[in-house]
Amino acid sequence: MSDHIYKKIELVGTSPESIEQAVNNAVAKAGKTVHNMRWLEVVETRGHLEDGKVAHWQVTVKIGFTLDE
């Protein structure tokens, strides 16, 4: 088994639908340019309120990926 070296990036995904969709949006966007993604860590969750209700979710995620050999 070879040694793996990882790099982490931090992103904020957003969605008016759900926390899960906000995470999926961040991962999908990163996947267009970042290769070898291996894991994610949810760091922070926030919501934007309008008229006393959650109108939009913001989720900060760290995504780990392996560097190219």
Side-chain angles (χ1 to χ4, degrees):
M1 181 172 134
S2 64
D3 293 333
H4 293 286
I5 304 300
Y6 295 92
K7 181 167 179 69
K8 290 193 294 187
I9 57 173
E10 186 172 276
L11 304 168
V12 178
T14 64
S15 172
E17 297 171 21
S18 69
I19 294 168
E20 183 177 359
Q21 189 59 49
V23 171
N24 286 331
N25 289 345
V27 171
K29 185 69 171 182
K32 292 181 180 180
T33 58
V34 177
H35 306 289
N36 304 321
M37 293 189 300
R38 301 290 184 226
W39 51 265
L40 69 88
E41 173 184 356
V42 175
V43 179
E44 188 174 44
T45 305
R46 293 179 301 280
H48 173 73
L49 301 174
E50 289 182 8
D51 300 321
K53 296 180 181 178
V54 177
H56 210 87
W57 292 101
Q58 295 179 335
V59 180
T60 303
V61 295
K62 290 183 180 180
I63 296 177
F65 58 96
T66 55
L67 298 175
D68 290 336
E69 297 290 326

